[in-house]
Amino acid sequence: KGMLVPGVSIMSRCCDVALTGPVLAILGSCASLFPLGNDKLSFVKEFFGMFFIVGFTCSPGKWFGTEAWWHSWLWHGVGIIGVDLLSGGGHVNPSMTYAFYAVGDVTYAELLCRVSAQVSGSVMAWTFWQAVGMELQLEALAFPAFDFAKPAIEACLNEALASFCLVFGIFLWHSILPTRKHYWAKMPLTAVLIRLNIVLFPISGPAMNPALATGWAVWASGAFRGGHTLPVDTGHYISYWISSFVGALLAALLYSLYAGKP
């Protein structure tokens, strides 16, 4: 009974957001691409993987790991490994999925399926975890999004560089170096790389994950501006999507040259 009331309240908040016109249109459009996945579980893995991404990697320093900076780093790393384990190895990042598509490891249909799942999952993940925080009276989670009142070129460069470093590091440790055969070597290295990127490229967040940034923007538009909707500023899409994809594409190109892929 003690968990039932908060649980019902959290689900009620999520339903209220999901049933608003713009969000319902986003979820419906994304769900329509479900059948395109080569693997029947592709959409499910990516959708729920975004719940783990938001809950496990945005809460350190907010809900726990607050005593010292290294506590936050440690829990963030644990969260990244947890995301991979619980999502069944999902990409949980449109830029990573795009890089796999660029090197021929993912079909175009699979790309659409996974990215749509990532976007819809991120929208509902931010909604769910913010509802959990409000219900349990925890500090609100936040994404340090770029202020597009400033020139977007800064955010574009930031996201392109951060995404390049992330994607190239994943190719390096998961496909090239001997660490590819050792899960408990490649995943901690990936976690360290992500944390270093956060420190080195703070101007735009960085997101290094277009779906994460867009999901936050949809939630924040309702929380702070009165209505949940997709971002209206083109700078958001140029910075968090196009620039991130450019960085991922460059990393994929370098990997393709090494691996001898067309």
Side-chain angles (χ1 to χ4, degrees), residues 208-222:
M208 300 174 282
N209 186 327
L212 186 66
T214 298
W216 161 259
V218 171
W219 182 86
S221 66

Side-chain angles (χ1 to χ4, degrees), residues 60-61 65-76 195-196 199:
T66 59
E67 295 80 6
W69 66 268
W70 62 269
H71 289 186
S72 175
W73 278 50
L74 178 62
W75 281 111
H76 186 263
R195 194 68 200 194
L196 286 175
V199 173

Side-chain angles (χ1 to χ4, degrees), residues 63-116:
W63 294 356
F64 49 89
T66 59
E67 295 80 6
W69 66 268
W70 62 269
H71 289 186
S72 175
W73 278 50
L74 178 62
W75 281 111
H76 186 263
V78 170
I80 289 168
I81 296 172
V83 168
D84 187 71
L85 290 171
L86 292 173
S87 68
H91 302 167
V92 291
N93 185 336
S95 293
M96 198 67 242
T97 302
Y98 180 67
F100 284 132
Y101 168 70
V103 300
D105 290 348
V106 166
T107 65
Y108 183 64
E110 181 80 357
L111 168 74
L112 293 177
C113 172
R114 286 182 181 268
V115 171
S116 65

